[in-house]
Amino acid sequence: MPPRLKKWLGYALIAFVIFYLLTQPATVGNLVLNVFAGLGGAANSLSTFVNTILL
């Protein structure tokens, strides 16, 4: 892929993300909450696993 095309595709992706953020803020908010909830659950599971091994 030529570097110029790669650069313009990157700009197009950034523009799409900004457009999506501006037109669907509630959906994006729910997505962010779900991502952080999933990360928190994974951290909790890892903590439980490590505590089980060490005790």
Side-chain angles (χ1 to χ4, degrees):
M1 183 179 304
R4 290 181 79 178
L5 179 60
K6 200 173 194 180
K7 181 178 167 182
W8 283 106
L9 286 176
Y11 290 152
L13 179 64
I14 291 169
F16 176 74
V17 168
I18 291 170
F19 171 76
Y20 191 72
L21 285 171
L22 293 175
T23 59
Q24 302 292 328
T27 304
V28 174
N30 287 334
L31 176 68
V32 170
L33 287 175
N34 289 337
V35 166
F36 281 117
L39 290 174
N44 190 23
S45 297
L46 182 61
S47 172
T48 302
F49 173 73
V50 170
N51 284 333
T52 304
I53 290 175
L54 295 178
L55 297 177

